[in-house]
Amino acid sequence: DGGITQSPKYLFRKEGQNVTLSCEQNLNHDAMYWYRQDPGQGLRLIYYSQIVNDFQKGDIAEGYSVSREKKESFPLTVTSAQKNPTAFYLCASSMAGGLYNEQFFGPGTRLTVL
Amino acid sequence: AQKVTQAQTEISVVEKEDVTLDCVYETRDTTYYLFWYKQPPSGELVFLIRRNSFDEQNEISGRYSWNFQKSTSSFNFTITASQVVDSAVYFCALSEAQVDNDMRFGAGTRLTVKP
C-alpha cells in the first residue's frame, strides 16, 4: 500500500538528548513536510523540502534540523536546543512543491521529554 | 501575516443533526488557497478539500459541503445528517501563493457526534 510511515509512534527522550524522527513515503512525491502539533492547537510548519537535497525553514525551525538525501525519506532531528520539544509530530508529502497542494499525512510520532 | 480562526473549540451534536464548522481567515494576498483537513483519533490528517481564491463556487461532496465567501473571508464546512464516524478534529488551513514557506492552520474544532 502506498503511504507515509513514521516511526516510532511513541518516543521518550531525556532532556539534553538529540532524537531523530523517521518519515518515509512510497508515493513518489517530490515534496515533504514536518509539522508540530501541541494540544488544542493547529499544526505549525517546522521544515519542508520540495526536492532532494533542498529544504526550507518553516515557522518554527529553531531547535530542529532535517536532511533530504533521498526522495523517499525526510528525517527530523529534534536537538537539545529545542526548549519545549514535547509534542505530536506529523510528517506529510505532496506531489509537487508548494504549500498550496494537497498533502498526505503520516500517523505521527508523539515525543515526550522526561 | 496570514491567520486562520476557528472560533468553535468543541461542538457536540446528536447523530443525524446538521452541523457547520466555521473558518475565518486573514490574508493580504490576492492568490491563496484554503483547505479543510480531518484528524480522526488515529492522529493522521485526512485531506477533505482545497479551494483557491478565484473559485468561490460552493462545493458539495456527499454529506459534506463548503461555503466560500470572500466578502466575509470565510470558508465554512457543513456536515449534513452527521454520523458517529464524523467525530474528529477538523482543521481549516490557509496557504498564500506569495509566501511559499508557510501554511497556517486554525486551532481546530473538535466535533463529537453522539449516537
Side-chain angles (χ1 to χ4, degrees):
Chain A
D1 283 3
I4 301 177
T5 56
Q6 291 186 243
S7 60
K9 190 173 177 67
Y10 298 96
L11 188 56
F12 298 89
R13 117 176 175 197
K14 292 182 181 178
E15 220 170 313
Q17 288 181 337
N18 290 359
V19 64
T20 297
L21 281 58
S22 167
C23 178
E24 304 276 332
Q25 55 100 358
N26 61 3
L27 299 167
N28 199 32
H29 284 171
D30 289 314
M32 296 186 74
Y33 314 84
W34 274 105
Y35 292 91
R36 170 182 171 138
Q37 183 179 19
D38 293 283
Q41 296 187 34
L43 281 65
R44 291 182 291 169
L45 182 66
I46 305 172
Y47 268 99
Y48 80 106
S49 168
Q50 296 194 28
I51 56 172
V52 174
N53 292 322
D54 183 59
F55 46 83
Q56 310 291 330
K57 291 182 179 181
D59 203 29
I60 55 165
E62 187 176 345
Y64 299 98
S65 66
V66 293
S67 63
R68 186 89 186 276
E69 296 175 4
K70 298 187 300 182
K71 188 175 183 178
E72 302 79 23
S73 178
F74 191 41
L76 173 75
T77 297
V78 184
T79 74
S80 56
Q82 170 48 236
K83 290 182 174 30
N84 185 19
T86 294
F88 187 52
Y89 291 87
L90 285 156
C91 178
S93 69
S94 66
M95 286 182 66
L99 284 156
Y100 42 82
N101 290 310
E102 171 189 351
Q103 294 180 28
F104 294 79
F105 284 79
T109 292
R110 192 167 297 280
L111 172 65
T112 303
V113 174
L114 304 172
Chain B
Q2 52 182 331
K3 181 180 172 183
V4 178
T5 302
Q6 293 181 256
Q8 304 150 307
T9 307
E10 294 191 31
I11 299 176
S12 181
V13 299
V14 177
E15 209 170 17
K16 296 184 184 175
E17 283 185 25
D18 298 348
V19 57
T20 295
L21 309 182
D22 298 333
C23 173
V24 175
Y25 61 92
E26 294 177 32
T27 178
R28 295 179 182 176
D29 206 341
T30 54
T31 304
Y32 52 89
Y33 301 83
L34 294 162
F35 302 80
W36 275 96
Y37 283 88
K38 173 182 179 180
Q39 186 178 39
S42 59
E44 61 192 88
L45 271 72
V46 177
F47 169 84
L48 296 177
I49 190 170
R50 180 185 75 172
R51 194 42 109 222
N52 74 56
S53 52
F54 299 108
D55 182 2
E56 278 193 81
Q57 278 194 331
N58 291 333
E59 173 129 353
I60 298 175
S61 175
R63 296 183 298 107
Y64 294 172
S65 62
W66 291 269
N67 183 359
F68 178 27
Q69 292 198 339
K70 287 176 76 170
S71 60
T72 55
S73 297
S74 64
F75 187 43
N76 297 337
F77 172 32
T78 297
I79 302 175
T80 303
S82 59
Q83 300 177 1
V84 173
V85 293
D86 295 328
S87 296
V89 181
Y90 291 86
F91 291 99
C92 180
L94 165 70
S95 175
E96 292 176 327
Q98 306 237 355
V99 181
D100 208 32
N101 63 342
D102 202 7
M103 173 114 113
R104 293 282 177 173
F105 281 79
T109 297
R110 181 178 297 279
L111 174 65
T112 302
V113 181
K114 299 177 182 176

Short mmCIF file of all heavy atoms in Angstrom, two decimals, chain A residues 9 35 37 40-43 45 48 50 57-59 88 90 98-103 105-107, chain B residues 33 35 37 39 42-47 50 91 95 97 99-108:
data_model
loop_
_atom_site.label_atom_id
_atom_site.label_comp_id
_atom_site.label_asym_id
_atom_site.label_seq_id
_atom_site.Cartn_x
_atom_site.Cartn_y
_atom_site.Cartn_z
N LYS A 9 6.11 5.37 16.94
CA LYS A 9 4.82 6.00 17.24
C LYS A 9 4.92 6.83 18.51
O LYS A 9 4.36 7.91 18.62
CB LYS A 9 3.75 4.93 17.39
CG LYS A 9 2.32 5.47 17.47
CD LYS A 9 1.33 4.32 17.46
CE LYS A 9 -0.10 4.83 17.62
NZ LYS A 9 -0.53 5.62 16.46
N TYR A 35 5.50 18.92 10.58
CA TYR A 35 4.67 19.81 11.39
C TYR A 35 4.75 19.39 12.85
O TYR A 35 4.96 18.22 13.17
CB TYR A 35 3.20 19.73 10.97
CG TYR A 35 2.89 20.28 9.61
CD1 TYR A 35 2.92 19.46 8.48
CD2 TYR A 35 2.54 21.62 9.45
CE1 TYR A 35 2.61 19.96 7.24
CE2 TYR A 35 2.22 22.13 8.20
CZ TYR A 35 2.26 21.30 7.10
OH TYR A 35 1.96 21.80 5.87
N GLN A 37 2.38 19.60 16.39
CA GLN A 37 1.05 19.87 16.90
C GLN A 37 1.08 19.82 18.42
O GLN A 37 1.49 18.81 19.01
CB GLN A 37 0.03 18.86 16.36
CG GLN A 37 -1.39 19.15 16.80
CD GLN A 37 -2.41 18.17 16.25
OE1 GLN A 37 -2.06 17.07 15.82
NE2 GLN A 37 -3.67 18.55 16.24
N GLY A 40 -4.63 21.20 21.65
CA GLY A 40 -5.56 22.30 21.47
C GLY A 40 -5.12 23.33 20.44
O GLY A 40 -5.72 24.39 20.33
N GLN A 41 -4.07 23.00 19.71
CA GLN A 41 -3.59 23.95 18.71
C GLN A 41 -3.54 23.30 17.34
O GLN A 41 -3.55 22.08 17.20
CB GLN A 41 -2.19 24.43 19.09
CG GLN A 41 -2.13 25.22 20.38
CD GLN A 41 -0.76 25.83 20.61
OE1 GLN A 41 -0.08 26.22 19.66
NE2 GLN A 41 -0.35 25.90 21.87
N GLY A 42 -3.45 24.18 16.36
CA GLY A 42 -3.29 23.68 15.00
C GLY A 42 -1.86 23.26 14.74
O GLY A 42 -1.00 23.34 15.62
N LEU A 43 -1.62 22.83 13.53
CA LEU A 43 -0.28 22.40 13.15
C LEU A 43 0.57 23.61 12.81
O LEU A 43 0.10 24.60 12.25
CB LEU A 43 -0.35 21.50 11.91
CG LEU A 43 -0.76 20.05 12.13
CD1 LEU A 43 -2.17 19.93 12.64
CD2 LEU A 43 -0.58 19.27 10.84
N LEU A 45 4.30 24.59 10.89
CA LEU A 45 5.28 24.04 9.96
C LEU A 45 6.69 24.22 10.51
O LEU A 45 7.10 25.34 10.86
CB LEU A 45 5.14 24.73 8.61
CG LEU A 45 6.05 24.24 7.49
CD1 LEU A 45 5.72 22.80 7.11
CD2 LEU A 45 5.91 25.15 6.27
N TYR A 48 10.22 22.16 5.39
CA TYR A 48 9.70 21.44 4.25
C TYR A 48 10.77 21.34 3.17
O TYR A 48 11.71 22.14 3.13
CB TYR A 48 8.40 22.05 3.74
CG TYR A 48 8.53 23.27 2.88
CD1 TYR A 48 8.32 23.19 1.50
CD2 TYR A 48 8.81 24.50 3.43
CE1 TYR A 48 8.41 24.30 0.71
CE2 TYR A 48 8.90 25.62 2.65
CZ TYR A 48 8.69 25.52 1.28
OH TYR A 48 8.79 26.62 0.50
N GLN A 50 11.16 20.64 -1.09
CA GLN A 50 10.47 20.49 -2.38
C GLN A 50 11.15 19.45 -3.27
O GLN A 50 10.50 18.86 -4.13
CB GLN A 50 10.44 21.84 -3.09
CG GLN A 50 9.63 22.89 -2.36
CD GLN A 50 9.31 24.09 -3.23
OE1 GLN A 50 9.22 24.00 -4.43
NE2 GLN A 50 9.12 25.24 -2.60
N LYS A 57 13.16 26.42 5.84
CA LYS A 57 12.63 26.57 7.19
C LYS A 57 11.16 26.99 7.14
O LYS A 57 10.76 27.78 6.30
CB LYS A 57 13.42 27.63 7.95
CG LYS A 57 14.84 27.22 8.28
CD LYS A 57 15.53 28.29 9.08
CE LYS A 57 16.95 27.86 9.44
NZ LYS A 57 17.66 28.90 10.24
N GLY A 58 10.41 26.46 8.07
CA GLY A 58 9.04 26.90 8.25
C GLY A 58 8.95 27.91 9.36
O GLY A 58 9.91 28.61 9.68
N ASP A 59 7.82 27.94 9.99
CA ASP A 59 7.54 28.94 11.01
C ASP A 59 8.33 28.75 12.30
O ASP A 59 8.65 29.70 13.01
CB ASP A 59 6.04 28.89 11.31
CG ASP A 59 5.53 30.17 11.90
OD1 ASP A 59 6.12 31.23 11.59
OD2 ASP A 59 4.57 30.13 12.68
N PHE A 88 3.32 16.40 19.40
CA PHE A 88 2.97 15.40 18.40
C PHE A 88 3.53 15.90 17.07
O PHE A 88 3.27 17.03 16.66
CB PHE A 88 1.44 15.27 18.35
CG PHE A 88 0.93 14.16 17.49
CD1 PHE A 88 1.39 12.86 17.62
CD2 PHE A 88 -0.05 14.41 16.54
CE1 PHE A 88 0.91 11.83 16.84
CE2 PHE A 88 -0.56 13.39 15.75
CZ PHE A 88 -0.07 12.10 15.89
N LEU A 90 4.01 15.47 12.99
CA LEU A 90 3.39 14.90 11.81
C LEU A 90 4.24 15.19 10.57
O LEU A 90 4.69 16.30 10.36
CB LEU A 90 2.00 15.50 11.60
CG LEU A 90 0.93 14.98 12.55
CD1 LEU A 90 -0.19 15.98 12.69
CD2 LEU A 90 0.39 13.65 12.06
N GLY A 98 5.41 23.41 -2.99
CA GLY A 98 4.43 24.49 -2.84
C GLY A 98 3.38 24.07 -1.85
O GLY A 98 2.77 23.00 -1.95
N LEU A 99 3.15 24.93 -0.88
CA LEU A 99 2.24 24.58 0.19
C LEU A 99 0.79 24.78 -0.21
O LEU A 99 -0.10 24.79 0.64
CB LEU A 99 2.58 25.40 1.45
CG LEU A 99 3.82 24.87 2.14
CD1 LEU A 99 4.50 25.95 2.96
CD2 LEU A 99 3.47 23.69 3.00
N TYR A 100 0.52 24.90 -1.50
CA TYR A 100 -0.85 25.02 -1.96
C TYR A 100 -1.38 23.69 -2.50
O TYR A 100 -2.48 23.62 -3.03
CB TYR A 100 -0.96 26.11 -3.04
CG TYR A 100 0.16 26.07 -4.05
CD1 TYR A 100 0.13 25.18 -5.11
CD2 TYR A 100 1.25 26.90 -3.91
CE1 TYR A 100 1.16 25.14 -6.02
CE2 TYR A 100 2.30 26.86 -4.81
CZ TYR A 100 2.25 25.98 -5.87
OH TYR A 100 3.28 25.93 -6.76
N ASN A 101 -0.58 22.66 -2.36
CA ASN A 101 -1.00 21.34 -2.84
C ASN A 101 -1.58 20.50 -1.72
O ASN A 101 -1.22 20.64 -0.55
CB ASN A 101 0.18 20.60 -3.47
CG ASN A 101 0.58 21.22 -4.77
OD1 ASN A 101 -0.24 21.45 -5.64
ND2 ASN A 101 1.87 21.50 -4.91
N GLU A 102 -2.43 19.56 -2.10
CA GLU A 102 -2.97 18.60 -1.15
C GLU A 102 -1.83 17.82 -0.52
O GLU A 102 -0.94 17.33 -1.22
CB GLU A 102 -3.90 17.64 -1.88
CG GLU A 102 -4.36 16.46 -1.05
CD GLU A 102 -5.10 15.44 -1.91
OE1 GLU A 102 -5.39 15.74 -3.07
OE2 GLU A 102 -5.37 14.34 -1.39
N GLN A 103 -1.86 17.70 0.78
CA GLN A 103 -0.82 16.97 1.47
C GLN A 103 -1.39 15.68 2.07
O GLN A 103 -2.52 15.64 2.52
CB GLN A 103 -0.23 17.82 2.59
CG GLN A 103 0.51 19.04 2.06
CD GLN A 103 1.10 19.89 3.14
OE1 GLN A 103 1.44 19.43 4.22
NE2 GLN A 103 1.24 21.18 2.86
N PHE A 105 -0.72 12.82 4.97
CA PHE A 105 -0.06 12.80 6.27
C PHE A 105 0.23 11.39 6.76
O PHE A 105 -0.51 10.44 6.47
CB PHE A 105 -0.93 13.51 7.32
CG PHE A 105 -0.89 15.01 7.22
CD1 PHE A 105 -1.64 15.67 6.26
CD2 PHE A 105 -0.08 15.75 8.07
CE1 PHE A 105 -1.61 17.06 6.16
CE2 PHE A 105 -0.03 17.13 7.98
CZ PHE A 105 -0.79 17.78 7.02
N GLY A 106 1.30 11.28 7.54
CA GLY A 106 1.60 10.05 8.24
C GLY A 106 0.84 10.00 9.56
O GLY A 106 0.15 10.96 9.93
N PRO A 107 1.00 8.89 10.31
CA PRO A 107 0.25 8.70 11.55
C PRO A 107 0.81 9.48 12.74
O PRO A 107 0.16 9.54 13.78
CB PRO A 107 0.36 7.20 11.79
CG PRO A 107 1.62 6.81 11.12
CD PRO A 107 1.76 7.70 9.93
N TYR B 33 -4.90 29.81 -1.01
CA TYR B 33 -5.57 28.52 -1.04
C TYR B 33 -6.09 28.19 0.35
O TYR B 33 -5.40 28.41 1.35
CB TYR B 33 -4.60 27.42 -1.51
CG TYR B 33 -4.04 27.70 -2.88
CD1 TYR B 33 -2.95 28.56 -3.05
CD2 TYR B 33 -4.62 27.15 -4.01
CE1 TYR B 33 -2.45 28.85 -4.30
CE2 TYR B 33 -4.11 27.43 -5.28
CZ TYR B 33 -3.03 28.28 -5.41
OH TYR B 33 -2.54 28.56 -6.65
N PHE B 35 -7.96 25.18 2.81
CA PHE B 35 -8.07 23.74 2.95
C PHE B 35 -8.92 23.38 4.17
O PHE B 35 -8.99 24.15 5.14
CB PHE B 35 -6.68 23.10 3.19
CG PHE B 35 -5.67 23.37 2.12
CD1 PHE B 35 -4.98 24.57 2.08
CD2 PHE B 35 -5.38 22.40 1.17
CE1 PHE B 35 -4.03 24.81 1.10
CE2 PHE B 35 -4.43 22.64 0.20
CZ PHE B 35 -3.76 23.84 0.17
N TYR B 37 -9.00 19.84 6.63
CA TYR B 37 -8.48 18.52 6.93
C TYR B 37 -9.24 17.96 8.13
O TYR B 37 -9.66 18.69 9.02
CB TYR B 37 -6.99 18.58 7.29
CG TYR B 37 -6.05 18.74 6.13
CD1 TYR B 37 -5.71 20.00 5.67
CD2 TYR B 37 -5.51 17.62 5.50
CE1 TYR B 37 -4.83 20.15 4.60
CE2 TYR B 37 -4.63 17.77 4.43
CZ TYR B 37 -4.30 19.04 3.99
OH TYR B 37 -3.44 19.18 2.94
N GLN B 39 -8.92 15.22 11.31
CA GLN B 39 -7.99 14.43 12.11
C GLN B 39 -8.78 13.50 13.03
O GLN B 39 -9.25 13.90 14.09
CB GLN B 39 -7.07 15.33 12.94
CG GLN B 39 -5.98 14.54 13.69
CD GLN B 39 -5.03 15.43 14.47
OE1 GLN B 39 -5.45 16.42 15.07
NE2 GLN B 39 -3.75 15.09 14.47
N SER B 42 -7.05 8.47 15.33
CA SER B 42 -5.79 7.81 14.96
C SER B 42 -4.64 8.81 14.80
O SER B 42 -3.47 8.42 14.88
CB SER B 42 -5.97 7.01 13.66
OG SER B 42 -6.36 7.88 12.62
N GLY B 43 -4.96 10.06 14.53
CA GLY B 43 -3.92 11.09 14.51
C GLY B 43 -3.55 11.64 13.15
O GLY B 43 -3.15 12.80 13.06
N GLU B 44 -3.61 10.83 12.10
CA GLU B 44 -3.17 11.38 10.83
C GLU B 44 -4.25 12.23 10.19
O GLU B 44 -5.42 11.90 10.26
CB GLU B 44 -2.71 10.28 9.89
CG GLU B 44 -3.74 9.27 9.52
CD GLU B 44 -3.10 8.07 8.84
OE1 GLU B 44 -2.70 7.15 9.55
OE2 GLU B 44 -2.99 8.10 7.60
N LEU B 45 -3.83 13.33 9.58
CA LEU B 45 -4.79 14.23 8.96
C LEU B 45 -5.21 13.68 7.60
O LEU B 45 -4.40 13.13 6.86
CB LEU B 45 -4.19 15.63 8.77
CG LEU B 45 -4.36 16.58 9.95
CD1 LEU B 45 -3.48 16.15 11.10
CD2 LEU B 45 -4.08 18.00 9.53
N VAL B 46 -6.48 13.88 7.29
CA VAL B 46 -7.02 13.45 6.03
C VAL B 46 -7.51 14.68 5.27
O VAL B 46 -8.30 15.47 5.80
CB VAL B 46 -8.19 12.47 6.24
CG1 VAL B 46 -8.80 12.09 4.90
CG2 VAL B 46 -7.72 11.23 6.98
N PHE B 47 -7.03 14.82 4.05
CA PHE B 47 -7.42 15.95 3.22
C PHE B 47 -8.89 15.85 2.84
O PHE B 47 -9.37 14.78 2.44
CB PHE B 47 -6.54 15.95 1.96
CG PHE B 47 -6.98 16.88 0.88
CD1 PHE B 47 -6.61 18.21 0.91
CD2 PHE B 47 -7.74 16.43 -0.18
CE1 PHE B 47 -7.00 19.08 -0.10
CE2 PHE B 47 -8.14 17.28 -1.19
CZ PHE B 47 -7.76 18.61 -1.17
N ARG B 50 -9.63 21.48 -1.13
CA ARG B 50 -8.80 22.67 -1.37
C ARG B 50 -9.60 23.61 -2.25
O ARG B 50 -10.28 23.19 -3.19
CB ARG B 50 -7.51 22.31 -2.09
CG ARG B 50 -6.63 23.52 -2.35
CD ARG B 50 -5.43 23.16 -3.16
NE ARG B 50 -5.77 22.94 -4.57
CZ ARG B 50 -4.87 22.76 -5.52
NH1 ARG B 50 -3.59 22.75 -5.22
NH2 ARG B 50 -5.25 22.56 -6.75
N PHE B 91 -9.63 20.77 10.85
CA PHE B 91 -8.76 21.93 10.71
C PHE B 91 -9.00 22.64 9.40
O PHE B 91 -9.10 22.02 8.34
CB PHE B 91 -7.28 21.52 10.75
CG PHE B 91 -6.83 21.02 12.10
CD1 PHE B 91 -6.75 19.66 12.36
CD2 PHE B 91 -6.47 21.92 13.09
CE1 PHE B 91 -6.32 19.20 13.59
CE2 PHE B 91 -6.04 21.46 14.33
CZ PHE B 91 -5.97 20.10 14.57
N SER B 95 -2.94 28.86 2.74
CA SER B 95 -1.61 28.99 2.16
C SER B 95 -1.65 30.12 1.14
O SER B 95 -2.53 30.16 0.30
CB SER B 95 -1.21 27.69 1.48
OG SER B 95 0.02 27.83 0.82
N ALA B 97 0.00 32.18 -2.02
CA ALA B 97 0.85 31.86 -3.18
C ALA B 97 2.19 32.56 -3.10
O ALA B 97 3.20 32.06 -3.57
CB ALA B 97 0.13 32.24 -4.46
N VAL B 99 3.84 33.43 -0.40
CA VAL B 99 4.63 33.03 0.77
C VAL B 99 4.78 31.54 0.71
O VAL B 99 3.91 30.79 1.15
CB VAL B 99 3.93 33.44 2.08
CG1 VAL B 99 4.78 33.04 3.28
CG2 VAL B 99 3.64 34.92 2.10
N ASP B 100 5.90 31.10 0.14
CA ASP B 100 5.98 29.68 -0.17
C ASP B 100 6.44 28.81 0.98
O ASP B 100 6.57 27.62 0.84
CB ASP B 100 6.94 29.49 -1.35
CG ASP B 100 6.59 28.24 -2.14
OD1 ASP B 100 5.40 27.90 -2.19
OD2 ASP B 100 7.50 27.61 -2.68
N ASN B 101 6.73 29.41 2.10
CA ASN B 101 7.26 28.58 3.17
C ASN B 101 6.36 28.58 4.39
O ASN B 101 6.83 28.47 5.51
CB ASN B 101 8.66 29.06 3.57
CG ASN B 101 8.64 30.48 4.11
OD1 ASN B 101 7.70 31.20 3.89
ND2 ASN B 101 9.68 30.86 4.83
N ASP B 102 5.08 28.71 4.18
CA ASP B 102 4.21 28.65 5.35
C ASP B 102 2.81 28.20 4.96
O ASP B 102 2.32 28.52 3.88
CB ASP B 102 4.14 30.01 6.04
CG ASP B 102 3.72 29.88 7.49
OD1 ASP B 102 3.61 28.73 7.97
OD2 ASP B 102 3.50 30.90 8.14
N MET B 103 2.22 27.46 5.85
CA MET B 103 0.83 27.08 5.75
C MET B 103 0.29 27.28 7.15
O MET B 103 0.80 26.71 8.10
CB MET B 103 0.68 25.63 5.32
CG MET B 103 -0.74 25.13 5.37
SD MET B 103 -1.38 24.74 3.76
CE MET B 103 -1.55 23.01 3.90
N ARG B 104 -0.75 28.10 7.26
CA ARG B 104 -1.31 28.41 8.58
C ARG B 104 -2.54 27.56 8.83
O ARG B 104 -3.47 27.56 8.03
CB ARG B 104 -1.71 29.87 8.64
CG ARG B 104 -0.54 30.81 8.58
CD ARG B 104 0.16 30.91 9.91
NE ARG B 104 1.32 31.77 9.83
CZ ARG B 104 2.05 32.14 10.87
NH1 ARG B 104 1.73 31.71 12.07
NH2 ARG B 104 3.09 32.91 10.72
N PHE B 105 -2.52 26.86 9.96
CA PHE B 105 -3.68 26.08 10.36
C PHE B 105 -4.43 26.80 11.46
O PHE B 105 -3.83 27.47 12.31
CB PHE B 105 -3.23 24.72 10.91
CG PHE B 105 -2.87 23.71 9.86
CD1 PHE B 105 -1.65 23.75 9.21
CD2 PHE B 105 -3.76 22.70 9.53
CE1 PHE B 105 -1.31 22.83 8.25
CE2 PHE B 105 -3.43 21.76 8.57
CZ PHE B 105 -2.22 21.82 7.92
N GLY B 106 -5.75 26.65 11.45
CA GLY B 106 -6.53 27.09 12.59
C GLY B 106 -6.29 26.15 13.76
O GLY B 106 -5.63 25.12 13.61
N ALA B 107 -6.83 26.49 14.90
CA ALA B 107 -6.63 25.69 16.11
C ALA B 107 -7.45 24.41 16.09
O ALA B 107 -7.24 23.52 16.91
CB ALA B 107 -6.97 26.51 17.34
N GLY B 108 -8.39 24.33 15.16
CA GLY B 108 -9.18 23.11 15.04
C GLY B 108 -10.48 23.17 15.82
O GLY B 108 -10.60 23.88 16.83
#
